[in-house]
Amino acid sequence: MIANYGYKDGSGEYYISIDTDKCIDCAAERACLTACPKQMFEIIEDDYDDQVAWIKKPNCRTLAYDCADCKPSSGYTSLPCITACTPGAIKHSW
Amino acid sequence: MITAGIDMGSRSVKVVLLEELDVNGAPQLKYGVKKAYIMMPGDMDQDVAAEKAYDEALAEAGLKREDVSAVFATGAGRKQVAFAKEGVTEMTAGAKGAVFMYPAARTVVDVGAEEGRGMKTDAEGKAIDFAGNEKCAAGAGSFAEAMSRALQMSLKEFGEASLQSDKSIPMNAQCTVFAESEVVSLIHSSTPKNDIAKAVLDAVASRVCAMVRRVGIEGEVVLIGGMVHNAGFVSSLKNAMGVDTISLPDMPEYISALGCAMIAAERQH
């Protein structure tokens, strides 16, 4: 399942997509949990009883601000969460 | 075996009591709905509302709590249903119920009072892709309701009025609060109410459509949730999505509760 967490508002579309099929058997030992400086990722048991990552609820409403520090304008050339997720399950829409 | 699905929405509580039938053949003959019950809790606490709605549904169906094998809950307030055995997300429940009603459905659009979301599903009714808007109500029924209030119309009148208009007035505000001031400006510029109603519903449809496009439009499209009752919104959504037909269940607000009860039944085996 591709789970899109986030929102669209007047300033743009801010979604983090997690491909749960790639996430279930994480080959990166859940590196996203520690890679995100804001610790937005959390492991939950989804409706199909699989252990997958999701974005914590409060962060889903503030992604544009929460992720701003990791974007190129803040000096990063690649996003820490995407880099840490070697199976390639995480994508940003912006 | 009887199972219950409770959909704790932000505006109403929906309960479906589902009976699994011992029938060989078409999958749609496998279940029979014993009772579909809706309650508007008003300012009642959600946990109290869940108990009350469930007891009332059971009473109307002539059942007792011990007759029900499992209760599953879904919806924004699913965690408040203390007596539920398990909770499932709105995406999982909605996709399950929609595919049960329309086996060819692969795109499910759920627009309720608080939130709208788009889902892509497989033939078994498993959600394989979803997107919602977790931040604001501008793509949901409460936005349309707030705007109809500004025009001093009921939601039904609001939907019907929009069908009388063939104008496309863009609403630029993304936020309900700012949109309301845009509606007030349109009223002051003597824009007919029909045109304003269409502008508002077009705006809601456009926001919902943006979410659906994130997951992609594929196969039969089914719209579920309370906004199905708003004919103006349905028309606006068809235009926004560029589809000729959208399947509309007769009792759209119960589809997630139905899906939830079906999942409860499946997990008892």
Side-chain angles (χ1 to χ4, degrees):
Chain A
M1 177 163 67
I2 312 287
N4 292 284
Y5 300 102
Y7 57 91
K8 180 186 175 188
D9 67 11
S11 65
E13 217 173 304
Y14 307 99
Y15 283 95
I16 293 180
S17 306
I18 299 177
D19 185 337
T20 57
D21 294 333
K22 292 180 181 170
C23 187
I24 292 168
D25 297 314
C26 181
E29 295 178 347
R30 308 293 187 198
C32 57
L33 300 181
T34 47
C36 174
K38 293 275 167 69
Q39 302 193 322
M40 296 197 304
F41 293 88
E42 191 173 35
I43 302 299
I44 54 143
E45 190 175 273
D46 72 5
D47 291 337
Y48 307 102
D49 298 332
D50 294 318
Q51 299 280 321
V52 295
W54 81 336
I55 307 292
K56 290 176 188 168
K57 274 278 168 194
N59 298 109
C60 287
R61 303 184 192 109
T62 52
L63 285 185
Y65 310 101
D66 291 338
C67 296
D69 289 348
C70 294
K71 293 287 181 183
S73 55
S74 301
Y76 278 88
T77 49
S78 62
L79 292 163
C81 56
I82 292 178
T83 309
C85 182
T86 48
I90 301 172
K91 281 184 185 150
H92 283 222
S93 69
W94 77 109
Chain B
M1 179 178 65
I2 294 169
T3 54
I6 300 181
D7 180 3
M8 286 295 294
S10 60
R11 185 64 55 86
S12 59
V13 187
K14 284 79 67 179
V15 181
V16 167
L17 297 169
L18 193 74
E19 185 173 21
E20 194 179 48
L21 306 169
D22 190 15
V23 176
N24 287 323
Q28 281 195 301
L29 297 176
K30 199 178 163 191
Y31 297 106
V33 173
K34 291 283 283 181
K35 186 74 201 167
Y37 184 80
I38 190 164
M39 190 185 87
M40 302 294 187
D43 52 6
M44 198 185 284
D45 283 344
Q46 281 199 310
D47 47 352
V48 178
E51 293 269 1
K52 191 170 186 292
Y54 183 50
D55 286 338
E56 287 177 2
L58 287 172
E60 288 204 8
L63 296 168
K64 298 190 197 84
R65 284 199 176 210
E66 50 269 31
D67 297 328
V68 179
S69 303
V71 181
F72 276 35
T74 186
R78 64 182 177 276
K79 289 186 179 149
Q80 303 302 317
V81 188
F83 54 93
K85 192 174 173 187
E86 275 185 50
V88 292
T89 60
E90 301 91 308
M91 285 68 80
T92 304
K96 190 79 184 170
V99 171
F100 176 69
M101 297 297 288
Y102 298 93
R106 295 294 175 270
T107 305
V108 182
V109 187
D110 181 4
V111 188
E114 191 187 59
E115 209 180 310
R117 61 187 71 83
M119 296 162 267
K120 204 193 281 180
T121 168
D122 66 12
E124 273 73 52
K126 183 181 175 185
I128 50 175
D129 199 341
F130 73 82
N133 192 332
E134 319 238 13
K135 192 178 182 184
C136 78
S142 50
F143 176 86
E145 196 177 2
M147 297 305 111
S148 68
R149 246 192 333 259
L151 286 179
Q152 297 181 322
M153 294 167 107
S154 72
L155 255 180
K156 190 168 185 288
E157 292 166 340
F158 191 67
E160 285 162 1
S162 86
L163 291 174
Q164 308 303 315
S165 168
D166 55 4
K167 293 225 175 80
S168 287
I169 304 170
M171 287 202 62
N172 299 314
Q174 289 277 339
C175 166
T176 306
V177 178
F178 295 122
E180 187 155 0
S181 83
E182 220 171 313
V183 166
V184 171
S185 303
L186 289 170
I187 294 169
H188 288 166
S189 62
S190 303
T191 307
K193 280 187 174 184
N194 295 349
D195 295 341
I196 300 175
K198 183 166 183 293
V200 168
L201 292 175
D202 281 349
V204 178
S206 137
R207 284 152 183 70
V208 172
C209 185
M211 291 182 260
V212 182
R213 287 198 189 285
R214 270 207 77 71
V215 302
I217 300 167
E218 208 174 86
E220 186 177 343
V221 179
V222 179
L223 176 62
I224 62 172
M227 281 296 274
V228 173
H229 295 299
N230 191 317
F233 171 71
V234 174
S235 169
S236 295
L237 187 64
K238 266 188 216 169
N239 289 338
M241 289 175 70
V243 294
D244 295 329
T245 52
I246 294 180
S247 300
L248 308 171
D250 287 336
M251 297 167 80
E253 55 276 77
Y254 292 100
I255 302 298
S256 294
L258 170 69
C260 189
M262 286 175 67
I263 294 165
E266 285 173 1
R267 294 200 184 164
Q268 302 316 302
H269 295 296

